[in-house]
Amino acid sequence: MKKRILIAEDEPIIRLDLKMMLRHNGYEVVGEAGDGDRAIELAFKLKPDLVLMDIEMPKLNGLKASKVIGRQLDIPVLLITAYSQKEFVEKSKQDNIMGYLVKPVSEDSLIPAVMIAFQQAKRTQKLKQSLQLTQEKIQKRER
């Protein structure tokens, strides 16, 4: 089954490039958003496996949108930005952020980053499940 990806990028040309690169490599692009509000809306509606999220977007920026998506839907996010400044990297340290790409994004950098993001998300999910089982065992013992 193809992995489903939502692209949130305010530049239509970049969105199209990303979409073509992803499709060329066997991924399904399930939706496209031009701002953070629309990204959240589509994430709730489409439940993608991964969101490619630009940081600088109109209305709601990508970091804030990623936080909402992570907190409410637990969907992994791969950030894309034109900025590599340390402050953006620091602000992007959220649980659901699986990586960080600086524009211009090439297929040679995008595809490995997407593959790693999926692998990290899988590992994170296993850790969360293990933690939950451990917490349940502890609660049973306390009763």
Side-chain angles (χ1 to χ4, degrees):
M1 195 166 120
K2 285 184 177 184
K3 294 283 188 182
R4 304 168 70 251
I5 300 175
L6 168 65
I7 300 172
E9 162 64 59
D10 61 328
E11 303 265 344
I13 303 261
I14 295 173
R15 228 176 21 240
L16 180 62
D17 280 349
L18 293 170
K19 185 165 129 180
M20 287 173 28
M21 288 186 262
L22 291 166
R23 284 188 173 162
H24 180 255
N25 285 276
Y27 296 101
E28 180 183 357
V29 176
V30 294
E32 298 176 45
D35 63 67
D37 288 338
R38 182 79 173 134
I40 292 169
E41 182 184 321
L42 288 175
F44 271 91
K45 182 180 173 186
L46 303 171
K47 308 266 192 300
D49 299 310
L50 178 72
V51 178
L52 289 185
M53 181 81 72
D54 185 19
I55 290 179
E56 288 296 314
M57 289 190 294
K59 295 184 184 176
L60 187 68
N61 77 39
L63 289 174
K64 290 178 182 169
S66 295
K67 193 174 276 190
V68 171
I69 290 169
R71 201 177 291 142
Q72 295 186 20
L73 296 169
D74 200 26
I75 295 172
V77 174
L78 179 58
L79 292 175
I80 299 174
T81 184
Y83 308 97
S84 61
Q85 287 102 338
K86 196 173 181 176
E87 67 186 74
F88 284 109
V89 176
E90 286 301 315
K91 288 178 183 175
S92 68
K93 290 181 182 176
Q94 300 170 20
D95 288 348
N96 67 320
I97 303 295
M98 298 294 143
Y100 189 95
L101 284 169
V102 178
K103 295 176 190 174
V105 177
S106 69
E107 196 165 335
D108 290 340
S109 64
L110 175 66
I111 300 309
V114 167
M115 292 169 73
I116 290 168
F118 278 122
Q119 193 59 42
Q120 288 297 96
K122 191 178 190 179
R123 197 172 289 136
T124 301
Q125 197 58 42
K126 282 182 183 177
L127 286 171
K128 285 179 182 177
Q129 288 169 347
S130 176
L131 177 62
Q132 186 176 356
L133 286 172
T134 303
Q135 288 172 335
E136 287 170 6
K137 286 178 185 176
I138 290 169
Q139 286 175 349
K140 283 180 183 175
R141 286 182 187 161
E142 290 175 348
R143 289 182 194 157

